[in-house]
Structures are given as C-alpha cells and as structure tokens.
Amino acid sequence: MKRAIMTDPEQLRSLEGQQYVVLCPTGPVAAFFDATQEELRAAVPMAPFPTVGHVTLRGFSEARRVGELRNEIRAWAAGIPPIELQVDAVDAFPAPFQIVITRLARTASLVDAYSSLTDRLGATDFSRVGELPLEQWVFHLSLIYGAALSAEEWETLRRGAVRDIPSGPSETVASVEFVWFEGGAEHSETITLGG
C-alpha cells in the first residue's frame, strides 16, 4: 500500500483544499532521501517532515474543481516521457522557510516536464500556488522542515547537512502523483507518464 506523503495533522490542516502534481521516486534517489532524512531526524526529532520523498512540479488551490484539474493533469501526463531525477546536493532554503532539501540536477527531462506543464496551464484559469518561473525554480525533495527552530538551532542543522553530492544517485520516474487534501486527509492518484 502506498504511503501518504504528509501525515502530520498540522501540515494536513495547512494543506486543506490544495492539490499538487508530484514525482515520487522509489529507487536510488528515494534510498538516498530516506537515509539522509533519518540522519536529520535524529538531530532534530521534533521537527516535522514529509513521510515520502517527493518532487513538487506544481501546486493548486482548486477545492471545487479537483476532478477537472485531475483531468487536465492526466492529459498533460499522456504526452510526457519518463523523467530522470539525479541528486545534486543536500541544500537548504533559508529563513523564513528553513527547509533542508535534497536538491536535484536540472536534467533535460525534468526541465522539459516543468516547462510543458507551465505552457499547458497558461491556457487555463486554475489557481496555482507557489509557482515560480523555470529559471527560479529549484527542483528538490524536502527532507525536514525547520521553521520552528531557533536561528542557532537552524544554523547548526543547516551547517551539518549542506553538502555537494558529486555523481549523485539517479533514477527514472515513469509516473506522477496527483495529490489533493480534503476533509483532513490526503488523497492521491498515480498517473502514468506517456500514457
């Protein structure tokens, strides 16, 4: 059975009414994520974290049009080939976010998928959240959320975590997850790429 990406009740409340298109690696990138997250959680056991490593391609606020949005994502995914993910570094988003991340290389297939989704959504009126232009977007998997840490605790965590990963693990992902948060719970559908 597929594990939920988010299980923390506070996080679930904050995501109510939102939808996401994410990539969920299951091979070497996922193994790297799991091992790194385990180390970080030992250092700050009270900090919240996603329970499954995932790469967000887009977020939405369309609680009343989930079915319509899902159909749009299915149509987009049908024209997208599998996507290569490669670990580039363990990095961090600074305050006010204070998130330690697994940063990914900008592989051609990942950049193309993000660009084509942007182009397709440009012709719609779906309400998007947290969207940035491609040149500003950092492809990543969030490892641990440190926003509640003091400045000193955060700096200690960040300094101990951040590092380059030369020739990092890679894998090809053949599906996307359409995830929506409704009624205090996470729901999802796996959509095959190219399919």
Side-chain angles (χ1 to χ4, degrees), residues 24 28 30 55 82 85 105 116 122 139 145:
C24 292
V55 183
L85 304 179
S116 69
F139 294 104
Y145 304 120

Side-chain angles (χ1 to χ4, degrees), residues 1-13:
M1 183 171 172
K2 194 172 73 126
R3 294 185 312 169
I5 293 171
M6 297 292 180
T7 56
D8 180 78
E10 187 174 323
Q11 288 177 306
L12 288 171
R13 278 192 295 279

Side-chain angles (χ1 to χ4, degrees), residues 20 30-32 36-37 47-48 67 78-79 91 93 101 108 128 141 171 178:
Y20 291 87
F32 176 87
T36 305
Q37 188 186 64
D91 206 344
F93 293 133
I101 64 169
R128 295 169 275 188
L141 299 91
E171 68 178 270
F178 178 73

Side-chain angles (χ1 to χ4, degrees), residues 22-160:
V22 301
L23 303 169
C24 292
T26 58
V29 171
F32 176 87
F33 172 90
D34 290 342
T36 305
Q37 188 186 64
E38 187 175 326
E39 293 171 18
L40 295 171
R41 288 183 59 205
V44 285
M46 297 306 291
F49 58 93
T51 54
V52 173
H54 62 283
V55 183
T56 301
L57 293 181
R58 205 63 95 240
F60 303 89
S61 182
E62 286 293 349
R64 295 177 182 218
R65 298 196 295 171
V66 172
E68 186 180 336
L69 176 58
R70 181 175 38 229
N71 289 339
E72 190 71 29
I73 299 307
R74 284 179 185 150
W76 165 78
I80 300 298
I83 298 170
E84 181 189 2
L85 304 179
Q86 180 169 7
V87 173
D88 194 34
V90 176
D91 206 344
F93 293 133
F97 308 106
Q98 295 186 181
I99 303 171
V100 180
I101 64 169
T102 298
R103 191 180 69 222
L104 298 175
R106 293 172 74 86
T107 64
S109 58
L110 186 55
V111 168
D112 288 349
Y114 189 91
S115 295
S116 69
L117 184 54
T118 299
D119 291 346
R120 185 172 189 106
L121 292 171
T124 72
D125 65 347
F126 291 120
S127 177
R128 295 169 275 188
V129 296
E131 184 175 81
L132 291 172
L134 174 61
E135 59 273 7
Q136 294 176 22
W137 189 254
V138 176
F139 294 104
H140 69 281
L141 299 91
S142 295
L143 286 157
I144 198 159
Y145 304 120
L149 299 176
S150 70
E152 183 179 328
E153 290 169 325
W154 166 248
E155 186 53 27
T156 299
L157 176 64
R158 188 201 66 77
R159 210 174 29 249

